[in-house]
Amino acid sequence: MGGGAAAVTAEGPAPSAAAAAAAEPTPPPVVEASGLTRRFGAKVAVDALDLAVARGEVLALLGHNGAGKTTTIRMLAGVLTPTAGTARVFGLSPFEHGPAVRARLGVLPEEHALEERLTARQNLRYYADLYGYPEDRVSARVDEMLARFGLSDAADRKVGGFSKGMKQRLALARALQHEPELLFLDEPTSGLDPVASRAVTESLRSFSAGEGRTVVLCTHDLALAQGVCDRVAVMREGALVALGTPSELASRLPARLVVVVGAEEAAAAEAAVRGAFPGAAIAVSGDELLLTDLPSGSTPRVVALLVAAGLSVHRVQPVEATLQDVYFALYGEEGRA
């Protein structure tokens, strides 16, 4: 037979690589919540949360103080019992199998709870001992963590004399010390200067993309969430109000457009746009117009109506929405404040 013939078995043609890959079962989520609820008296802190986080994913929980982010993390870590609903971490209940789940977790809480009478090195060694980290690897791992977070020169100083930023970096190093499969972080860049914040960002990228581990973080740092996270979950008053990648969420916002017209033509251009798009918001600066609240796909129509009005169109540039824009849209003026 010719060499180009397709491989055939007694059962029929051999499956393609793509078909074989598609047939493989999808790995279960590392973190899964269904109807997860927590009340404190009459206050509902987390309201029927449904969420799944895949292995190797970085997910940000966003929201104002009191939105339910930290309470969610505490329930997923098995520290706080839910009022209703279920949670699974590594397929286990964090409430019924707390020690088994927490052995595979790294946690950076809001309050670092470092041993301030010990040195940075002693803190990391102590934590490694608690988690049963192999003794023959502890020293090298401690040195690695101190170097990664810029603390090598302060390794043998007592932590009580550290700045807030140094304590935050040490707390993150401690959370990573035992090489956890899953990391829960609560405001990981709080109190850090830009250099230290960048080190944290790079560590998170390495931890997830480089090592295939999973991260769930609570943050007010929208730039961190935009730059590092695969998906974001926005919470408001305990409820999940948006979930998706930053680009997916941004695509749901009304279009924005910058248009530059000829000299002395801005007023006429504004009038033409308002006539066709009465709901649009228009800001004029010299010969440049910023058009917001446009319907999706409006760019060709805007250009056509300006040309039809006899105006010169020098530049048309869509403005991509950011995660900050999404957050402000969900929280309104309260978010801007």
Side-chain angles (χ1 to χ4, degrees), residues 29-317:
V30 173
V31 176
E32 191 169 16
S34 178
L36 196 63
T37 301
R38 176 67 197 200
R39 299 186 183 91
F40 295 97
K43 178 177 175 56
V44 181
V46 176
D47 189 6
L49 177 68
D50 292 331
L51 188 66
V53 186
R55 183 171 303 278
E57 182 177 17
V58 182
L59 176 82
L61 297 179
L62 305 180
H64 281 15
N65 290 336
K69 307 184 302 296
T70 297
T71 301
T72 297
I73 290 289
R74 288 175 176 169
M75 286 192 288
L76 294 175
V79 176
L80 193 62
T81 304
T83 306
T86 60
R88 289 288 182 271
V89 179
F90 308 119
L92 303 172
S93 166
F95 325 113
E96 299 173 8
H97 307 97
V101 169
R102 287 190 286 274
R104 301 163 68 183
L105 291 181
V107 180
L108 175 67
E110 271 188 298
E111 300 297 329
H112 57 71
L114 295 164
E115 295 292 338
E116 298 201 352
R117 292 173 295 178
L118 300 181
T119 67
R121 189 186 305 279
Q122 288 169 335
N123 264 274
L124 295 185
R125 287 197 64 92
Y126 174 66
Y127 204 68
D129 289 343
L130 286 179
Y131 274 83
Y133 195 79
E135 179 60 34
D136 61 338
R137 295 169 52 197
V138 170
S139 294
R141 180 65 175 173
V142 167
D143 287 342
E144 178 189 348
M145 289 295 98
L146 291 169
R148 177 183 290 191
F149 293 99
L151 294 169
S152 296
D153 291 343
D156 298 308
R157 288 168 45 194
K158 289 187 177 181
V159 172
F162 281 14
S163 67
K164 180 180 178 180
M166 292 173 70
K167 289 177 181 177
Q168 185 76 355
R169 281 182 279 156
L170 180 60
L172 184 54
R174 182 187 62 182
L176 290 168
Q177 171 67 34
H178 61 296
E179 301 183 69
E181 299 171 54
L182 169 63
L183 195 59
F184 287 145
L185 305 177
D186 203 343
E187 297 296 345
T189 56
S190 175
L192 299 185
D193 60 40
V195 173
S197 182
R198 184 175 65 181
V200 169
T201 299
E202 291 172 352
S203 291
L204 291 180
R205 289 196 181 108
S206 171
F207 186 81
S208 58
E211 302 173 25
R213 303 174 194 267
T214 309
V215 181
V216 178
L217 65 97
C218 302
T219 184
H220 290 109
D221 188 341
L222 299 179
L224 172 68
Q226 175 105 36
V228 173
C229 297
D230 300 299
R231 290 189 302 154
V232 297
V234 184
M235 300 182 69
R236 182 169 184 173
E237 296 179 351
L240 182 65
V241 295
L243 175 65
T245 68
S247 59
E248 285 171 348
L249 297 183
S251 70
R252 300 175 193 173
L253 296 182
R256 299 189 302 168
L257 201 63
V258 170
V259 178
V260 179
V261 295
E264 310 299 329
E265 292 184 343
E270 180 180 5
V273 173
R274 287 198 187 281
F277 301 97
I282 305 175
V284 179
S285 176
D287 299 324
E288 181 176 290
L289 293 84
L290 173 61
L291 314 179
T292 58
D293 295 333
L294 292 170
S296 180
S298 301
T299 302
R301 188 178 168 195
V302 169
V303 174
L305 71 89
L306 294 178
V307 171
L311 303 175
S312 302
V313 180
H314 295 306
R315 179 164 62 94
V316 177
Q317 179 181 340

